[in-house]
Amino acid sequence: MTERRTLQTEQISGHPGPVPGMGMQRNLEVCKLIDATTCIGCKACEVACVEWNDLPFQPTTFDNTYQTMPETNWNYWNLIKFREHQREDGTLMWLMRKDQCMHCADPGCLAACPADGAIVKYANGIVDFHQENCIGCEFCVSGCPFNIPKFNPATKKVYKCTLCSDRVGQGLEPACIKACPTGCLHFGTKEDMKMLAETRAKQLRDVSGFKDAGVYDPESIGGTHVIYVLHDAKNPELYSGLPKDPSIPFAYKAWKSIFKPLGLIGATLGFVGVVFHYVFEGPKREQPEVPPPKPEPPAGRKEL
Amino acid sequence: MATSVGRMQEKEPQFFAKLGHTTVHEGELARHSVYTRFLHWAYGIFFFLALFTGFATYMPFLFRWFAPAFGGPATTRMLHPWFGLGFVFFFGLQAINWWGPMKWTDTDSRWIKHLPEFLRSTQALEPEDVGMYNGGQKLQFWEIVVGSIVYLITGIVMWAGARTFGATSVAISYILHDISALIMLFGIFFHLYQATFGQPGTIQAMTRGTVSEAWAWTHAPAWFRQMTGRDPRQALEQERQRRIARERAIEQLARGGPAGPPGGGRA
Ligand code: HEM
């Protein structure tokens, strides 16, 4: 029952007017919970993602860490980022963070996208790219605070994690969730996942001694539909550069929505100006004018 | 002028001198060489191609209907940077071509200060010290020079994208590219108007390459003096007297009287 309403389209890039069929059903948001504290970096999710989405093989880069490649790719949407962190007492910690699209409530990619229907946000919170409408401008890449959309130069289209919208639409969990052997990945409604995450964070604080443990669900972009439990929620940057206060560039917010239309009106004033000049002042003709003026030198015309 | 039709002696690349020529009829002055005209229309076409493809992406909400003409939104986006490069390339050559005559002088600063007066049609003649181009034309030229540089730099940044130059530089370029386009579009309306309806007789400067002497003493007096050695205001007055005499002669003829005194014809 919920599966059918989850794929109701909620926002469409570059699309004029309201979204067809909006507001007809109860809104139920989905969420993926990643408990970074129990991830062992096995990469089962990476393989499951490549398999389910039928992505072509991407050569790996070995750099003496437990990371498959430097960053996600157009054909590698899910990557466990690895970082060795030295704590104040000198002991080491391996921080594993499953990096993929965060499915923001206020998606920067969608705000930046100029193509009608290339990026949609479903009412269930999933942000999806529709490559058939993508024009390959890559503005989404610069609009994303998490460096997620990746360009394929061969197809001139941009790709990223879909949160397995095809599976979710059929009432299944995303492939990565299904593959996870430790149970560090969970999938459900945003409400449930938030509660589970807070419970786990409290456990980490109260029982495991991580006094800064907490949930990553950044307010600055209205929250995300992928949330993390972190040992140290005060320093998300430690986890291979998870931004503390992710934000969308001014260019794709106020500039695009307010100043661009105003600027266009301003430029059009040039056209209005010349039309009015012609109507009110008329053309400047070569002198003396044809037909020749009356025998007396013309009056009313001043010469410099 | 010894003959009624002359060939302009043009300093321009050999190829263009062979490609076309400028025929100067009686009562006309040569203004733009074949090379200059070729460049002008080359970047003129690229400007509008870049404008329309650009606007299809600038605000699809209003301009989506430009895209099908260029093969759909994706192809439109693919073509735009090439049109832009075409524009900058040909305008770059023109900028080199016009660097000298476009030099800013005190005359131009004075011209800009008096702009509101020139906008009124009570001001029939340009000030006597206005040469080949007036301050407004030069201002527009330099605006396009600066704008083209902004286009080129920000365009390349957006073309290579965030994967090459980083998200922030693309976001900044996005704004600057827009501003450059808006200013240039605003200015082009005035240019199109002045070249056609605003100052009749101007467009032939860029088509056949010539203007009438009357155009020259009206709109570019100092350039008229430089080209003919005659005083622009005197030339205008002579022409006016000639027409008055001619008018009188016609009126007398109409009344059945004798034709007017000699000198009614062109001096
Ligand atoms: C259909 C469109 C256009 C027409 C009819 C047109 C016409 C003309 C004419 C007649 C001149 C010669 C003026 C003179 O000799 O004083 C001229 C000059 C010039 N044109 Fe255009 N033009 C067009 C489009 C453009 C475009 C798109 C650009 C650049 C973006 C441009 C840039 C210039 C510049 C910089 C000059 C020299 C300075 C000036 O006269 O303002 N033109 N144009």
Side-chain angles (χ1 to χ4, degrees):
Chain A
M1 24 156 235
T2 56
E3 54 269 27
R4 225 154 282 128
R5 56 175 80 110
T6 51
L7 283 189
Q8 165 69 50
T9 305
E10 186 181 86
Q11 255 179 293
I12 308 179
S13 60
H15 183 84
V19 174
M22 250 318 282
M24 313 249 315
Q25 291 132 327
R26 193 167 70 94
N27 190 353
L28 194 69
E29 291 179 36
V30 297
C31 181
K32 167 156 65 184
L33 165 59
I34 300 166
D35 184 353
T37 64
T38 51
C39 175
I40 57 168
C42 73
K43 295 158 185 67
C45 54
E46 291 185 11
V47 178
C49 175
V50 169
E51 288 236 318
W52 175 260
N53 293 296
D54 211 8
L55 297 171
F57 176 71
Q58 164 79 20
T60 59
T61 318
F62 182 63
D63 62 353
N64 281 316
T65 74
Y66 290 101
Q67 195 169 318
T68 315
M69 57 186 74
E71 54 177 34
T72 59
N73 213 306
W74 70 266
N75 56 354
Y76 212 85
W77 302 340
N78 176 38
L79 179 72
I80 303 291
K81 291 222 167 167
F82 170 87
R83 190 166 178 278
E84 196 172 56
H85 170 59
Q86 189 164 24
R87 286 189 277 194
E88 271 162 24
D89 62 4
T91 55
L92 296 178
M93 249 178 111
W94 282 358
L95 303 180
M96 303 282 185
R97 178 171 69 86
K98 180 180 176 307
D99 187 31
Q100 80 279 277
C101 176
M102 300 293 286
H103 298 275
C104 311
D106 186 6
C109 56
L110 191 142
C113 179
D116 191 354
I119 302 179
V120 301
K121 187 184 150 220
Y122 300 120
N124 69 1
I126 295 182
V127 178
D128 220 347
F129 284 12
H130 289 180
Q131 279 79 16
E132 69 271 25
N133 295 329
C134 173
I135 62 172
C137 68
E138 297 178 72
F139 288 150
C140 55
V141 181
S142 81
C144 175
F146 300 100
N147 186 24
I148 288 302
K150 294 285 150 54
F151 185 67
N152 175 356
T155 60
K156 291 203 181 339
K157 308 276 181 194
V158 182
Y159 302 82
K160 69 158 188 70
C161 156
T162 65
L163 204 67
C164 285
S165 56
D166 48 351
R167 291 176 59 90
V168 174
Q170 296 302 316
L172 299 170
E173 76 277 59
C176 53
I177 312 279
K178 191 169 170 68
C180 181
T182 69
C184 85
L185 298 183
H186 304 261
F187 186 76
T189 66
K190 175 94 192 237
E191 241 168 274
D192 291 353
M193 291 304 108
K194 201 70 195 277
M195 212 157 70
L196 192 60
E198 293 294 357
T199 312
R200 170 65 181 152
K202 186 170 183 327
Q203 185 186 38
L204 284 166
R205 284 192 300 267
D206 298 352
V207 183
S208 310
F210 290 103
K211 55 183 187 341
D212 291 327
V215 181
Y216 182 84
D217 181 18
E219 294 273 309
S220 57
I221 43 171
T224 51
H225 294 91
V226 171
I227 62 177
Y228 291 102
V229 173
L230 304 176
H231 315 85
D232 183 357
K234 294 219 169 86
N235 295 299
E237 284 91 355
L238 289 181
Y239 296 79
S240 306
L242 196 59
K244 191 163 197 158
D245 288 304
S247 65
I248 304 169
F250 171 78
Y252 309 123
K253 295 307 266 186
W255 175 260
K256 193 173 168 182
S257 55
I258 301 168
F259 295 105
K260 265 177 97 141
L262 284 182
L264 187 64
I265 293 170
T268 319
L269 287 183
F271 179 72
V272 174
V274 298
V275 168
F276 277 112
H277 186 268
Y278 193 74
V279 171
F280 293 145
E281 294 290 340
K284 278 199 173 181
R285 295 188 186 283
E286 301 167 359
Q287 299 297 317
E289 292 198 20
V290 211
K294 286 285 156 230
E296 274 61 55
R301 289 262 185 195
K302 196 176 78 187
E303 284 166 22
L304 272 193
Chain B
M1 209 174 278
T3 52
S4 63
V5 176
R7 277 281 174 93
M8 179 182 172
Q9 291 301 311
E10 289 166 337
K11 264 194 262 134
E12 58 183 325
Q14 270 276 299
F15 171 74
F16 290 94
K18 280 199 201 117
L19 188 69
H21 62 262
T22 311
T23 308
V24 187
H25 293 266
E26 185 178 342
E28 287 184 346
L29 297 173
R31 190 159 166 88
H32 295 299
S33 69
V34 177
Y35 178 59
T36 304
R37 274 133 63 196
F38 167 78
L39 288 182
H40 179 268
W41 294 115
Y43 61 74
I45 289 168
F46 275 117
F47 177 85
F48 286 105
L49 289 174
L51 183 75
F52 291 132
T53 51
F55 266 85
T57 314
Y58 179 86
M59 209 183 277
F61 168 69
L62 279 179
F63 301 110
R64 62 196 329 111
W65 48 280
F66 288 150
F70 295 97
T75 319
T76 302
R77 162 60 184 75
M78 191 272 280
L79 287 171
H80 177 77
W82 293 103
F83 291 151
L85 275 190
F87 171 75
V88 171
F89 175 74
F90 286 111
F91 190 79
L93 291 179
Q94 189 74 296
I96 295 168
N97 189 21
W98 273 341
W99 203 263
M102 288 294 181
K103 284 239 163 69
W104 196 262
T105 64
D106 290 345
T107 306
D108 303 315
S109 306
R110 224 172 306 132
W111 194 97
I112 295 293
K113 255 184 240 135
H114 290 268
L115 179 62
E117 293 160 42
F118 302 138
L119 287 177
R120 311 302 302 240
S121 44
T122 48
Q123 213 72 274
L125 299 173
E126 287 285 334
E128 268 204 74
D129 54 352
V130 166
M132 175 104 185
Y133 300 108
N134 64 40
Q137 287 176 298
K138 290 188 188 179
L139 184 68
Q140 179 150 50
F141 171 82
W142 289 111
E143 190 284 309
I144 299 172
V145 170
V146 174
S148 299
I149 294 169
V150 174
Y151 275 155
L152 187 64
I153 295 171
T154 59
I156 287 172
V157 169
M158 287 190 284
W159 204 1
R163 69 201 137 95
T164 317
F165 289 103
T168 312
S169 33
V170 169
I172 293 170
S173 298
Y174 182 82
I175 297 177
L176 295 180
H177 206 80
D178 283 357
I179 292 176
S180 182
L182 291 170
I183 294 176
M184 215 176 279
L185 179 63
F186 177 79
I188 280 302
F189 288 121
F190 294 90
H191 180 65
L192 300 187
Y193 173 66
Q194 291 296 65
T196 54
F197 297 98
Q199 291 184 2
T202 303
I203 196 169
Q204 74 176 67
M206 268 306 162
T207 52
R208 294 203 292 103
T210 66
V211 288
S212 68
E213 289 185 349
W215 185 95
W217 68 53
T218 308
H219 300 304
W223 179 71
F224 174 82
R225 188 196 299 275
Q226 182 193 328
M227 294 291 285
T228 61
R230 290 157 64 201
D231 181 85
R233 297 296 194 248
Q234 262 173 19
L236 165 63
E237 197 45 41
Q238 274 171 15
E239 175 66 8
R240 183 173 284 150
Q241 293 310 326
R242 187 186 72 80
R243 292 205 188 174
I244 292 169
R246 189 165 168 274
E247 185 83 345
R248 288 212 182 105
I250 291 172
E251 265 173 33
Q252 276 185 353
L253 270 179
R255 278 194 231 107
R266 187 180 276 272

